[in-house]
Amino acid sequence: MTRLSSINNTFDSYQKLIALYQEHKEKMFDDISIELSYFFSANMCAALGAILDRFKSNLNDIHFVQINPEIERILLKNDFLTYYGRNRALDTHNTTIKFQKLKKTDGKFFKNYVMDELIEGHRSDLPKMSSGVKEKIIEAIYEIFVNAQIHSETEFIYTCGQFFPNKNKIEFTIVDTGIGFKNRINKRFNTKVSAEKAILWAVRDKNTTKEGITGGLGLAILKEFIQRNRGKMQIVSNEGYYQFDASSEVTKAFRGEFPGTIVNLQFSTDDKSNYTLKGEVNLDDIF
Amino acid sequence: MIYFKTMENITINIVNSIGDVFAVEAEDGQKVFELISKALRDHKNVVVSFQNVEMLTTAFLNTAIGQLYKDFNESDIKRHLKASDMSDSGKVALKRVVDTAKLYYKDPEAMQRSIDNILGD
């Protein structure tokens, strides 16, 4: 049995999930038993769900043999455990953002999901969030979703999030099980860039692997917003780790690799910045 | 006698072209790109209307508009293409997409150089 204990949004927690993947990735027609204890940050369901799907594609059976009752309560509310044979529970406090597994082509479905989970479903409990900030957050989430669609070569995209009303934070995670930043870049440029350097390159303004079409703005604009919003972004891709916030930019290497890419975004919901930028660009001066 | 040929104006409405108020996916951007290209090739003046667009991504704008700088020269685009009904944040995003596109197509080797730079870091 593999025990996942105290999973939150830290380098060590991602390392534990990578260790889980490494431990079972070669298994076929087997039983994989998992225990969740102490703490499990709900948004990390996106990463765990992606890993477990990899195991299921090798026809393994997944068993949650022991789950701390507090974790179980949340993972029933956010629908994660309903993918593993459990009945859904009602989220009366409305703080979860549902776990969702989407086909890469399910853009329209993703729109409904974002509307339900981040806008309509939280009108009453998020009075503090200004509409400018809300729009920027949704825009940021979309840029990441579209990046996964365009670049990752994944079959599915996994998303999940969590509101923390007391801390005025939202965590939102988007995961794919595609080729990862490193392989995408090395394939395009015929290079041997490490996973960490690949991420560093991709988040720089104007850098893109697209051929014949411009790009490279989504992650750069996201970084600028994260800085102003005093949020945080983390990228796990293959064995590379990248973290950015207003005060630092860090890269590290994991032991073993994640089979794809995790992008975790943390936003401050009490951000009072003005994002309207009125009159900054004249329509006649654009082209 | 001198005849002045007046160019016809064509309005391309984003919401109508993609069937959505969320202009976010690159694939939808491609549809808009094809419409604009067709009109520009046919020497029309094009107005791209963002009326009722609720959400925009740079991925959409790169495909819909950034790509035009590959096939048309800057001065023709400036003369024959206009954008209308854009939100202030949309204008900022579009300006950035356009500026990036101009650089990208002028210097196709820039990406390779930036990869070499990061390898040398």
Side-chain angles (χ1 to χ4, degrees), chain A residues 107-108 111 142-143 146 149 185 189 197 201 206 208 210 212-215 224 276 281 283 285-287, chain B residues 20 24-25 28 57-59 62 78 81 83 88 91 95-96 98 101 104-105 111-112 114-115 118 121:
Chain A
K108 302 283 184 264
K111 174 188 163 185
Y142 253 107
E143 290 282 0
V146 173
Q149 276 185 323
I185 289 171
F189 297 106
K197 284 199 170 176
W201 182 84
K206 299 186 180 61
T208 182
K210 283 191 274 186
I213 301 181
T214 57
E224 290 159 16
T276 50
V281 174
L283 266 181
D285 295 333
I286 287 179
F287 299 114
Chain B
D20 202 333
V24 292
E25 292 189 64
D28 285 335
T57 63
T58 57
N62 278 320
K78 196 167 181 62
L81 184 64
D88 288 304
K91 285 181 211 165
K95 176 78 181 148
R96 208 155 157 177
V98 165
Y104 179 86
Y105 294 114
M111 285 302 113
Q112 187 68 53
S114 78
I115 274 287
I118 206 153
D121 277 355

Side-chain angles (χ1 to χ4, degrees), chain A residues 137-148:
Chain A
I137 290 175
I138 292 166
E139 199 181 284
I141 288 171
Y142 253 107
E143 290 282 0
I144 298 299
F145 181 80
V146 173
N147 264 354

Side-chain angles (χ1 to χ4, degrees), chain A residues 111 115 135, chain B residues 15 20-23 50 52-56:
Chain A
K111 174 188 163 185
M115 296 294 279
E135 190 187 315
Chain B
V15 174
D20 202 333
V21 293
F22 271 43
F50 288 82
N52 299 320
V53 168
E54 288 176 15
M55 185 63 57
L56 267 175

Side-chain angles (χ1 to χ4, degrees), chain A residues 218-236:
Chain A
L219 286 172
I221 291 173
L222 171 61
K223 264 180 78 179
E224 290 159 16
F225 171 56
I226 291 282
Q227 181 145 25
R228 246 181 113 178
N229 174 262
R230 303 199 75 77
K232 190 189 282 181
M233 77 190 262
Q234 297 166 322
I235 301 175
V236 174

Side-chain angles (χ1 to χ4, degrees), chain A residues 53-245:
Chain A
D53 243 24
R54 275 298 187 97
F55 299 157
K56 283 198 291 185
S57 66
N58 282 343
L59 299 163
N60 294 298
D61 266 338
I62 312 290
H63 309 278
F64 284 100
V65 285
Q66 224 171 329
I67 308 181
N68 161 310
E70 181 61 17
I71 299 173
E72 187 175 37
R73 200 173 54 81
I74 293 166
L75 302 198
L76 282 170
K77 281 190 205 170
N78 78 0
D79 275 2
F80 181 72
L81 289 173
T82 65
Y83 283 72
Y84 298 91
R86 302 285 301 274
N87 290 324
R88 182 176 291 174
L90 190 68
D91 181 10
T92 43
H93 294 291
N94 213 13
T95 54
T96 65
I97 297 171
K98 302 261 182 286
F99 168 73
Q100 192 77 62
K101 173 184 172 181
L102 295 160
K103 284 195 198 96
K104 195 169 69 169
T105 48
D106 274 348
K108 302 283 184 264
F109 194 85
F110 184 69
K111 174 188 163 185
N112 294 337
Y113 167 74
V114 168
M115 296 294 279
D116 290 348
E117 296 298 319
L118 288 162
I119 307 175
E120 297 299 335
H122 293 275
R123 279 204 192 281
S124 58
D125 51 318
L126 278 174
K128 287 183 210 152
M129 200 149 88
S130 77
S131 63
V133 175
K134 207 181 269 189
E135 190 187 315
K136 291 294 288 181
I137 290 175
I138 292 166
E139 199 181 284
I141 288 171
Y142 253 107
E143 290 282 0
I144 298 299
F145 181 80
V146 173
N147 264 354
Q149 276 185 323
I150 299 172
H151 298 292
S152 72
E153 299 176 29
T154 191
E155 189 179 357
F156 294 103
I157 296 172
Y158 305 83
T159 64
C160 198
Q162 179 74 13
F163 286 99
F164 297 96
N166 300 332
K167 295 182 191 163
N168 297 311
K169 300 275 183 218
I170 297 177
E171 298 270 355
F172 195 86
T173 308
I174 298 182
V175 180
D176 69 68
T177 49
I179 62 171
F181 284 40
K182 178 181 80 174
N183 298 321
R184 172 82 184 179
I185 289 171
N186 288 333
K187 207 163 116 182
R188 164 74 173 82
F189 297 106
N190 197 21
T191 45
K192 283 186 177 159
V193 178
S194 69
E196 296 152 80
K197 284 199 170 176
I199 304 171
L200 263 183
W201 182 84
V203 297
R204 282 190 194 162
D205 193 22
K206 299 186 180 61
N207 284 354
T208 182
T209 54
K210 283 191 274 186
E211 287 183 81
I213 301 181
T214 57
L217 290 172
L219 286 172
I221 291 173
L222 171 61
K223 264 180 78 179
E224 290 159 16
F225 171 56
I226 291 282
Q227 181 145 25
R228 246 181 113 178
N229 174 262
R230 303 199 75 77
K232 190 189 282 181
M233 77 190 262
Q234 297 166 322
I235 301 175
V236 174
S237 189
N238 310 111
E239 70 278 11
Y241 176 74
Y242 171 87
Q243 182 173 306
F244 174 83
D245 59 34

